[in-house]
Amino acid sequence: ASQIERTAKTRETKRMLREDAFVKFSRGQNSEITKTDAERFFRIDDYVTGKARTAKIERFRIMASDNQALTVAVDFFASLVKE
């Protein structure tokens, strides 16, 4: 990966760790995480559907793959935003 790609991944990982959904997840407040929280985490909305939605979520799975806590959170959030 290029320096630009690594920088973008680092920036995006930091953003994910600060999102309300992840903060709640890390505190064990899973029942308080809304679909809207999860959509904000993935940067998607009701207009992102089908293959585009799946691809965007998969992109986040790949970015989170080297962080175990984030990987588990991404899987949980993905279950909240399934169509």
Side-chain angles (χ1 to χ4, degrees), residues 62-78:
I62 292 166
M63 278 193 284
S65 65
D66 58 352
N67 182 317
Q68 180 62 33
L70 204 48
T71 299
V72 174
V74 166
D75 289 341
F76 178 76
F77 303 150

Side-chain angles (χ1 to χ4, degrees), residues 33-65:
I33 301 169
T34 65
K35 180 182 178 190
T36 301
D37 289 335
E39 287 177 334
R40 190 174 304 115
F41 179 88
F42 290 122
R43 294 185 170 189
I44 57 177
D45 58 26
D46 290 339
Y47 298 104
V48 179
T49 61
K51 289 181 181 179
R53 181 175 278 240
T54 302
K56 202 147 192 189
I57 292 169
E58 187 58 30
R59 186 176 134 256
F60 280 90
R61 278 197 170 102
I62 292 166
M63 278 193 284
S65 65

Side-chain angles (χ1 to χ4, degrees), residues 13 23 31 40 44 79:
T13 299
V23 171
S31 63
R40 190 174 304 115
I44 57 177
S79 73

